[in-house]
Amino acid sequence: MNLYPAIDLKDGACVRLLRGDMDKATVFNNDPGSQAAEFVAKGCHWVHVVDLNGAFAGEPVNGAAVDSILAAVGDNAKVQLGGGIRNMETVDYWLNKGVHRVILGTVALRNPDLVKEACAKWPGRIAVGIDARNGFVAVEGWAETSEITALELAQKFEDCGVSAIIFTDIDRDGAMGGPNIDSTVALARAISTPVIASGGVSSLEDLLAIKAQADAGIDGAISGRALYDGRIDLAKAIAALA
C-alpha cells in the first residue's frame, strides 16, 4: 500500500488547511522543493501535490512551486498534482512537464467527458479527486457542495480508465480526528477503480487500519499535517505499509 505525503500549496508555501478553509492555513515550509526532497529522502515513492489557489481560481497559480517540486523529486519518486486543472491544455502541460498523474476534481463533476477524453489520451495518468461533505461532492476548492453523491460521481468513470479515485472526507481533513474508513471502504467496495484514502489520517494506527482494508480496493492513503508535526514518522510508516 502506498503512502502519499501531501504538499498543499498556498501562495507558494506548503500549508495545511483545517477542513478546507483557506483562512485557516498553517504554513509548514516556505520551500516546497526542499519539502519534496525531504519526503523522497525518507523513502516515499509518490508526492501528492495540490495547488490550493488554483482550485479556487480555476487555473494553475502555484506553477513555480510545482516546478521546484518536480526538479527536487526528479526520477526518484512520482508526483501527482491537482488543483485548477480544468481543461485538456492544462492536463497536457503538466504531464509533458513531468507530473506523473494529474487529478481532476471540479471538472470531473462539471465536464465528465473531459475526464474520459484525458484517460484515452493519457492512459494510466489520470485520477479523479472526489471530495465529499456529508456524502455529497464539493467542488471549486470545496466552496460549493453539489447534489450528487461521491458514489454516483465515481460510477461515471468506471469504464474509462481512471487510474485512481482520491476520496476525501472534508470534515475530517486537517482535523486530526482520524479518517472516515467506513465511507472510504464502502466506496472502494462499490467500484472497481482503486481508491486512495484522504482526510484525517493522523497516526500510524490510522494507516494500519486503512491497510487492513486493502482488499476492498484501497491503493493507499494521503497524509499531510501529521507528517509535518511529527505525529507520523514517514520512514516508519512507509516500512509498515510495505
Side-chain angles (χ1 to χ4, degrees):
M1 177 175 286
N2 291 304
L3 176 59
Y4 297 80
I7 296 180
D8 288 356
L9 300 170
K10 180 177 184 286
D11 305 331
C14 304
V15 307
R16 294 302 291 167
L17 306 183
L18 177 60
R19 299 185 178 93
D21 189 338
M22 288 286 273
D23 293 326
K24 296 180 179 178
T26 303
V27 176
F28 284 100
N29 194 328
N30 286 304
D31 186 342
S34 71
Q35 185 63 64
E38 180 181 332
F39 285 151
V40 173
K42 291 181 178 179
C44 76
H45 300 294
W46 285 88
V47 179
H48 173 79
V49 182
V50 178
D51 180 348
L52 294 173
N53 300 106
F56 282 92
E59 60 184 13
V61 174
N62 287 287
V66 176
D67 286 342
S68 72
I69 292 168
L70 290 171
V73 167
D75 296 328
N76 298 309
K78 298 174 181 177
V79 173
Q80 64 180 21
L81 172 67
I85 303 175
R86 308 280 169 86
N87 53 56
M88 187 60 74
E89 290 77 13
T90 309
V91 171
D92 292 342
Y93 175 81
W94 284 120
L95 292 178
N96 283 318
K97 263 222 161 186
V99 169
H100 185 78
R101 186 158 69 192
V102 298
I103 305 163
L104 302 179
T106 294
V107 75
L109 179 69
R110 305 280 196 232
N111 184 10
D113 286 342
L114 177 65
V115 176
K116 297 173 184 179
E117 181 185 352
C119 287
K121 186 173 183 178
W122 297 96
R125 299 182 67 184
I126 306 297
V128 168
I130 298 182
D131 307 325
R133 181 180 285 115
N134 297 321
F136 291 90
V137 177
V139 294
E140 306 290 351
W142 300 351
E144 300 177 21
T145 302
S146 73
E147 295 182 356
I148 186 171
T149 68
L151 177 57
E152 289 170 338
L153 184 58
Q155 288 174 329
K156 290 179 181 288
F157 307 112
E158 275 287 80
D159 300 319
C160 68
V162 168
S163 61
I165 297 290
I166 299 169
F167 175 67
T168 303
D169 184 325
I170 295 170
D171 291 327
R172 304 292 184 103
D173 192 69
M176 308 303 287
N180 190 334
I181 294 177
D182 290 345
S183 293
T184 304
V185 169
L187 177 64
R189 290 196 183 281
I191 60 176
S192 61
T193 307
V195 172
I196 298 172
S198 175
V201 176
S202 56
S203 67
L204 182 59
E205 288 72 25
D206 288 340
L207 290 170
L208 293 175
I210 293 169
K211 182 184 179 183
Q213 301 293 334
D215 64 351
I218 298 177
D219 165 80
I222 293 168
S223 185
R225 184 180 293 269
L227 296 175
Y228 291 102
D229 68 14
R231 296 191 195 204
I232 295 177
D233 181 290
L234 179 57
K236 290 180 180 178
I238 291 171
L241 294 181

